[in-house]
Amino acid sequence: MSRFGVDLVWHPAGATDLVLLAHGGQEDSQASAGLWGGAILRMWPFAGAARSAVPSAAVGLMRYRYQGWNGAAADPAADLRAVLDELPPVIRRVVLIGHSMGGRAVVAVGDHPRVAGVLALAPWLPAGEPLVALRPPVTFAHGADDTVTDPRGTQAYASRLRSKGTPVTVYSLTDETHPMLQRSTDWNTLVSTFTTTALTDPEDTPASVFEVQLLPESGPRVSPAAAIASIALARLRLPVIERFELEG
């Protein structure tokens, strides 16, 4: 049996909300996802941004059984849905934030009754991906220069959601690639703003805009090396304080 679950990095007393971050991975792999891979480390600054935005909410990082999506098994989505099912009853609302394969996973389970918002960053949404009845707020964001996951797939999925009446915001980030290092400040700001909207101002969810919007720059750009250093610093500042584990 493999263990999976949530590594909590922030858990204030009495928290009834959880911001859950889902990292990227590979198309096919049953290797252990591990705790120190680049994909999960990239999510750590977002944990800090979410904590600062809504300090009353718990913040955790999803830990899958496997590194890969693995075809019809959709293992990361299965793990994530199991976690949502089994979280303690005190957790009433969960904001899902996923990158790449994690973006695909949060979309796939975004119809879960506990989910209070879905933010997919450079999501992997291939043609024919099943349409899920997501509840707003829903935001997709993709770097214009991403060659790992296709921004056109993100836009196409958003269009399908809108055709079913779901309001979706789609942002494009110019001069940005898949690791999200060129405009790291802007990604952090997006996470902070989305978390605040989902958990404290849900009535402010914007109406659906059918055009892709350019995400404005929220601060000065930093070098990729500086962005990597900030990831390491975030990992040191937010150690894992508690684990919620399942077996599967």
Side-chain angles (χ1 to χ4, degrees), residues 18-241:
L18 170 66
V19 181
L20 185 51
L21 301 155
H23 66 83
Q26 303 175 36
E27 185 169 354
D28 294 291
S29 174
Q30 290 191 328
S32 171
L35 299 175
W36 292 93
I40 191 169
L41 290 176
R42 182 61 189 91
M43 304 304 287
W44 236 269
F46 301 147
R51 181 193 65 170
S52 297
V54 185
S56 60
V59 180
L61 293 96
M62 185 67 199
R63 183 160 34 85
Y64 318 120
R65 290 169 295 161
Y66 309 123
Q67 291 180 15
W69 185 264
N70 300 323
D75 287 314
D79 292 350
L80 183 52
R81 189 173 290 276
V83 163
L84 291 171
D85 285 342
E86 298 299 331
L87 284 170
V90 68
I91 300 297
R92 299 171 187 165
R93 297 188 298 177
V94 181
V95 172
L96 297 178
I97 300 173
H99 172 231
S100 191
M101 182 185 76
R104 187 178 185 181
V106 299
V107 169
V109 306
D111 58 349
H112 193 280
R114 273 179 159 155
V115 172
V118 171
L119 172 59
L121 310 175
W124 172 32
L125 294 171
E129 185 71 3
L131 196 63
V132 178
L134 303 177
R135 293 180 301 279
V138 179
T139 294
F140 297 161
H142 220 125
D145 297 333
D146 194 330
T147 59
V148 177
T149 56
D150 192 345
R152 294 171 299 180
T154 295
Q155 296 163 22
Y157 194 91
S159 295
R160 292 168 60 202
L161 282 173
R162 289 166 176 153
S163 71
K164 298 297 184 181
T166 300
V168 186
T169 300
V170 180
Y171 289 116
S172 177
L173 283 75
T174 56
D175 305 319
E176 185 55 288
T177 58
H178 195 66
M180 307 181 296
L181 298 176
Q182 308 297 324
R183 294 179 56 180
S184 57
T185 299
D186 301 324
W187 291 108
N188 292 343
T189 299
L190 176 59
V191 168
S192 177
T193 301
F194 183 85
T195 302
T196 300
T197 297
L199 292 180
T200 65
D201 298 310
E203 67 278 5
D204 292 339
T205 299
S208 187
V209 176
F210 281 77
E211 294 80 13
V212 177
Q213 304 175 64
L214 294 178
L215 188 71
E217 297 197 29
S218 57
R221 297 192 186 189
V222 299
S223 68
I228 291 170
S230 71
I231 291 170
L233 186 59
R235 179 64 180 86
L236 293 173
R237 285 177 171 172
L238 282 176
V240 175
I241 59 173

